[in-house]
Amino acid sequence: MVRPIDRHPSILGTLDWWTIIIYLALLIFGWISVCGASYTYGDTDIFSLSTRSGMQIVWIGTSICLGFVILMLDDRYYDTFSYAIYAGMLLLLFATIFNPHEIKGSRSWLVLGPLRLQPAEFAKFATALAVAKLMSKYGFSLQRGKDFLAAGIIVVLPMLFIVAQKETGSALVYLSFFLVFYREGMPGSILFTGIAMIVYFVVGIRFEAIHLWNTPTSIGKFVVLLLVQIFSAGMVYSYCANKGKTLHLLLASLVLTAAALGVSKYVFAFDVVWLLLASTAAFVCYFLYQALRTRLTNYLYIALFTLGSVGFFYSADYVLNHVMEPHQRVRINVLLGLEQDLAGAGYNVHQSEIAIGSGGLKGKGFLNGTQTKLKFVPEQDTDFIFCTVGEEEGFIGSASVLLLFLALILRLIHLAERQTFAFGRIYGYCVLSIFLFHLFINVGMVLGLTPVIGIPLPFFSYGGSSLWGFTLLLFIFLRIDAGRNRTRM
């Protein structure tokens, strides 16, 4: 007699307990950090609900209950109701724009009596479900413009609503979905273009005011335009498979630039940037000519990349200096090292660096951090909570926390790769990308390496919305993973 296939294996037997253990460890370390960051000399009860450490216990408890409820639901619900959940969350985000409560200049919070919720934190899992649902559809391909546009719209819509709530930092998190797109077949040229734009902006703005060899040539503009030509020549090799043309373009660019620099330095001083602009325009004309002659559309795309790179750099420079508000411009200048402003835009980062540096190798001990206890670091139990880890637990504690996050990231990669259905794999990589973005940006801004955009550190920053949001993201994936071998009807 043939035994029937078990269509409903025990959830306890299929659940990934290693990830659960890492999750619980992060919650414990997170509570210790919130306690250290919010503790004030003289407090007698850190467990009282009148303190932030006490309330964080409530958020942790409710998060664990939320995770349990998610695990009890059928994993197929998340696939079936993906679009409905996404549509409902979009409506909530849209309604939040018009709420009358403004907290710290942002309208991103819904106030329900004593409870405050931030829908932007929950929109992440809803967007991840919708992206996974769309991209797992039969015949879907990011190589097709129509499919790529549809996936892009799903990601961009919540971003627009969140920006309208004056919560730009939370909106930028959605850029992490493009890492998923790349994993699932998005052309590498799109990701490369995004990275190139960041390089142009940072290098160009950072060194724009510095002149090369006492000539009128701006180092920032000079380097950016030279990089545009080098990148464009490299794309000819990558996408047109023409090594000869690549070498000729690189040689022409470097020889002409070197000759112009020599003339500017030793004969008569002039701005070499103008010559680079002219030669870049020549590059564009050459690519257009090759596109017409060879009928290869890749040459047309390279021409658009070259032209767009120059246009982006000069428009970014204009926006920074003539469109952005003064406080926004100061933040960018502080990040790029153009200004100090230790009493203004650079104050948070400066105090955070002092707190982390003062921790040394082993730290000052639990509740013994002076920078955090004396409240020198603003937002030290939310966006800047990692500085508390550095001050109280030192380098060893900070490294341990980062290793714990690394273990979570590696585990998520393993779980995503073992999925038997595209929906689970894509959703898993969405979760992974969101966690990576939060971790990299949050720790980076505390160390002064990335912009201060105000996003929480997963499972560490104080607050219910972020903790519930990250729990939803993770436990939905754990439930999908637990049902990966389910027999589908």
Side-chain angles (χ1 to χ4, degrees):
M1 180 177 178
V2 179
R3 296 179 61 187
I5 297 175
D6 181 13
R7 300 180 184 274
H8 301 282
S10 169
I11 182 66
L12 296 179
T14 56
L15 191 62
D16 186 69
W17 287 100
W18 282 111
T19 305
I20 297 290
I21 292 171
I22 296 171
Y23 167 78
L24 293 174
L26 287 170
L27 289 182
I28 293 170
F29 281 116
W31 180 80
I32 292 172
S33 301
V34 168
C35 187
S38 60
Y39 178 80
T40 303
Y41 289 122
D43 284 349
T44 57
D45 189 0
I46 60 176
F47 299 102
S48 171
L49 294 183
S50 62
T51 64
R52 290 170 82 87
S53 57
M55 281 303 301
Q56 188 69 1
I57 294 177
V58 174
W59 304 136
I60 290 173
T62 52
S63 294
I64 293 174
C65 293
L66 179 62
F68 177 78
V69 171
I70 292 170
L71 294 178
M72 292 301 102
L73 296 176
D74 193 309
D75 61 285
R76 290 170 292 189
Y77 289 163
Y78 305 115
D79 187 341
T80 304
F81 298 108
S82 294
Y83 289 146
I85 295 171
Y86 175 74
M89 197 57 64
L90 281 183
L91 288 174
L92 188 59
L93 286 175
F94 182 73
T96 306
I97 298 173
F98 305 100
N99 88 88
H101 303 282
E102 186 168 310
I103 300 174
K104 297 181 181 179
S106 170
R107 291 182 176 273
S108 61
W109 295 86
L110 290 178
V111 180
L112 307 171
L115 185 64
R116 297 190 306 181
L117 293 176
Q118 192 174 21
E121 294 295 333
F122 303 104
K124 296 170 191 173
F125 90 88
T127 305
L129 286 173
V131 166
K133 178 72 172 179
L134 174 70
M135 293 176 60
S136 61
K137 185 176 64 175
Y138 178 77
F140 180 92
S141 175
L142 286 169
Q143 301 284 343
R144 286 200 297 267
K146 181 179 68 174
D147 288 345
F148 181 78
L149 180 63
I153 289 174
I154 287 178
V155 172
V156 170
L157 276 178
M159 287 183 68
L160 295 177
F161 291 156
I162 294 170
V163 168
Q165 298 169 9
K166 301 179 182 179
E167 192 66 34
T168 307
S170 297
L172 292 176
V173 174
Y174 289 78
L175 294 176
S176 62
F177 284 98
F178 284 90
L179 293 176
V180 183
F181 292 174
Y182 179 68
R183 165 62 180 80
E184 296 299 321
M186 181 184 76
S189 57
I190 297 177
L191 187 63
F192 173 76
T193 300
I195 295 173
M197 299 304 175
I198 296 173
V199 172
Y200 298 154
F201 180 82
V202 173
V203 174
I205 301 300
R206 175 65 179 85
F207 300 101
E208 182 180 16
I210 304 175
H211 289 213
L212 183 64
W213 292 346
N214 296 320
T215 67
T217 304
S218 162
I219 290 181
K221 293 180 179 178
F222 172 84
V223 172
V224 166
L225 291 174
L226 191 59
L227 284 175
V228 170
Q229 294 185 6
I230 293 173
F231 289 163
S232 300
M235 293 178 78
V236 172
Y237 177 75
S238 298
Y239 299 105
C240 301
N242 197 315
K243 185 177 181 180
K245 284 187 173 63
T246 300
L247 292 176
H248 291 154
L249 288 168
L250 286 174
L251 188 61
S253 173
L254 296 176
V255 169
L256 183 62
T257 302
L261 284 174
V263 172
S264 180
K265 174 65 176 178
Y266 299 107
V267 182
F268 66 93
F270 72 97
D271 192 350
V272 179
V273 168
W274 290 106
L275 181 65
L276 281 171
L277 282 171
S279 57
T280 303
F283 268 46
V284 173
C285 293
Y286 175 76
F287 295 142
L288 292 175
Y289 167 74
Q290 290 295 328
L292 293 173
R293 190 179 72 84
T294 63
R295 303 301 180 108
L296 288 176
T297 54
N298 284 348
Y299 279 111
L300 177 61
Y301 295 146
I302 296 172
L304 292 174
F305 168 82
T306 308
L307 194 61
S309 295
V310 177
F312 168 81
F313 170 66
Y314 279 94
S315 62
D317 181 70
Y318 177 81
V319 169
L320 176 65
N321 293 301
H322 299 92
V323 177
M324 284 188 173
E325 297 293 332
H327 71 278
Q328 296 172 324
R329 186 161 55 249
V330 169
R331 282 188 178 183
I332 293 176
N333 288 337
V334 168
L335 175 67
L336 296 179
L338 297 174
E339 297 182 25
Q340 289 281 358
D341 194 25
L342 299 182
Y347 178 79
N348 289 24
V349 174
H350 181 62
Q351 294 297 329
S352 175
E353 291 172 341
I354 293 175
I356 292 175
S358 67
L361 179 64
K362 297 182 179 180
K364 299 176 180 177
F366 182 55
L367 302 183
N368 290 324
T370 53
Q371 289 292 115
T372 50
K373 298 304 160 292
L374 297 175
K375 312 301 180 185
F376 280 111
V377 186
E379 310 298 336
Q380 61 188 24
D381 58 357
T382 52
D383 300 340
F384 282 81
I385 195 166
F386 191 72
C387 73
T388 304
V389 179
E391 184 179 29
E392 295 192 350
E393 310 302 329
F395 175 80
I396 294 176
S398 300
S400 300
V401 168
L402 293 179
L403 286 174
L404 201 56
F405 273 112
L406 177 61
L408 176 64
I409 296 301
L410 293 176
R411 197 66 196 167
L412 289 175
I413 293 174
H414 171 70
L415 297 185
E417 286 296 328
R418 77 180 185 182
Q419 298 305 303
T420 54
F421 297 94
F423 177 82
R425 183 188 70 247
I426 296 167
Y427 180 80
Y429 274 106
C430 287
V431 175
L432 167 66
S433 298
I434 291 171
F435 277 118
L436 265 179
F437 189 93
H438 272 272
L439 179 63
F440 178 77
I441 296 296
N442 183 277
V443 174
M445 74 182 189
V446 169
L447 298 175
L449 301 176
T450 58
V452 179
I453 61 175
I455 61 173
L457 183 62
F459 310 121
F460 273 69
S461 296
Y462 171 81
S465 292
S466 65
L467 192 52
W468 291 348
F470 289 125
T471 298
L472 279 166
L473 268 170
L474 182 61
F475 275 77
I476 288 175
F477 182 44
L478 289 176
R479 185 62 187 93
I480 292 172
D481 173 71
R484 68 188 182 281
N485 294 322
R486 176 194 294 272
T487 303
R488 305 283 168 161
M489 300 300 292

